[in-house]
Amino acid sequence: MKIGECVENFILMDQHNNEFDLFKNLDKDILLVFYPKDNTPVCTKQLVDYSINQAELEKYGIKIVGINIDPIDSHSSFCANNKIDFPILSDSEKVVSKRFEAISFLGQNKRKLVLIGKDRIIKFERSTLPLFFVDTRHLINELRKTLLI
């Protein structure tokens, strides 16, 4: 999926074993945060940064949703241990991750951000190397430049 394309709906389970239906949650733009693995140093820093700065993103009408292929119980302990309070979805079958081209050649998730508008259109995407991530401040600056938010 690329910028300007309309997304298909998906339903995945979150860290609380609740269904997350993309289309039912598009009352705001949604930032899908694909990340390689729970409980790893860079992924933990990234998701904690987004969790701490969630209110800043919400000022711009953006909700954060994490996704990777780890199981629900891994997500549950990862979120509890790091006080992450936005949905982290389990894509163990890799269906959604493949659709968004967020699977590496090793079969793990890439580090990729995809912003889906309320109109179901992809507005922004950005991939980074696994050892790096875009922090909230840089993400907002980049979105301001590209989307004029």
Side-chain angles (χ1 to χ4, degrees), residues 43-54 57 64 84 86 133-139:
C43 294
T44 301
K45 280 183 181 178
Q46 179 183 23
L47 275 72
V48 167
D49 176 72
Y50 293 167
S51 186
I52 290 169
N53 294 296
Q54 220 175 151
L57 287 164
I64 307 165
I84 296 168
F86 53 82
F133 71 94
V134 180
D135 66 21
T136 305
R137 184 174 55 87
H138 286 99
L139 175 60

Side-chain angles (χ1 to χ4, degrees), residues 11-24:
I11 298 171
L12 292 173
M13 303 304 281
D14 72 10
Q15 73 268 33
H16 304 295
N17 212 27
N18 296 320
E19 279 189 355
F20 179 91
D21 182 307
L22 175 66
F23 286 0
K24 288 182 181 176

Side-chain angles (χ1 to χ4, degrees), residues 13-18 35 38-39 47 68 70-90:
M13 303 304 281
D14 72 10
Q15 73 268 33
H16 304 295
N17 212 27
N18 296 320
Y35 66 101
D38 292 340
N39 299 304
L47 275 72
N68 85 1
D70 288 336
I72 293 168
D73 60 338
S74 175
H75 290 333
S76 182
S77 64
F78 176 59
C79 292
N81 292 339
N82 294 290
K83 299 181 176 129
I84 296 168
D85 62 352
F86 53 82
I88 302 290
L89 309 180
S90 178

Side-chain angles (χ1 to χ4, degrees), residues 24-143:
K24 288 182 181 176
N25 283 278
L26 279 173
D27 55 318
K28 294 182 179 184
D29 293 351
I30 291 183
L31 180 68
L32 297 179
V33 178
F34 293 94
Y35 66 101
K37 189 116 183 92
D38 292 340
N39 299 304
T40 57
V42 179
C43 294
T44 301
K45 280 183 181 178
Q46 179 183 23
L47 275 72
V48 167
D49 176 72
Y50 293 167
S51 186
I52 290 169
N53 294 296
Q54 220 175 151
E56 190 64 29
L57 287 164
E58 287 175 0
K59 286 181 193 175
Y60 297 99
I62 298 171
K63 264 197 273 201
I64 307 165
V65 177
I67 300 181
N68 85 1
I69 63 173
D70 288 336
I72 293 168
D73 60 338
S74 175
H75 290 333
S76 182
S77 64
F78 176 59
C79 292
N81 292 339
N82 294 290
K83 299 181 176 129
I84 296 168
D85 62 352
F86 53 82
I88 302 290
L89 309 180
S90 178
D91 185 21
S92 57
E93 301 295 317
K94 303 180 184 179
V95 173
V96 175
S97 297
K98 285 179 181 176
R99 188 182 306 163
F100 286 94
E101 300 173 16
I103 292 288
S104 74
F105 66 94
L106 297 174
Q108 290 290 98
N109 280 104
K110 294 178 181 178
R111 192 171 311 283
K112 184 173 187 175
L113 303 173
V114 178
L115 184 65
I116 301 170
K118 293 186 287 189
D119 59 0
R120 303 178 181 178
I121 302 294
I122 296 176
K123 295 178 161 188
F124 171 87
E125 67 175 9
R126 167 97 186 270
S127 295
T128 56
L129 295 172
L131 294 175
F132 303 100
F133 71 94
V134 180
D135 66 21
T136 305
R137 184 174 55 87
H138 286 99
L139 175 60
I140 289 171
N141 286 338
E142 199 166 329
L143 292 173

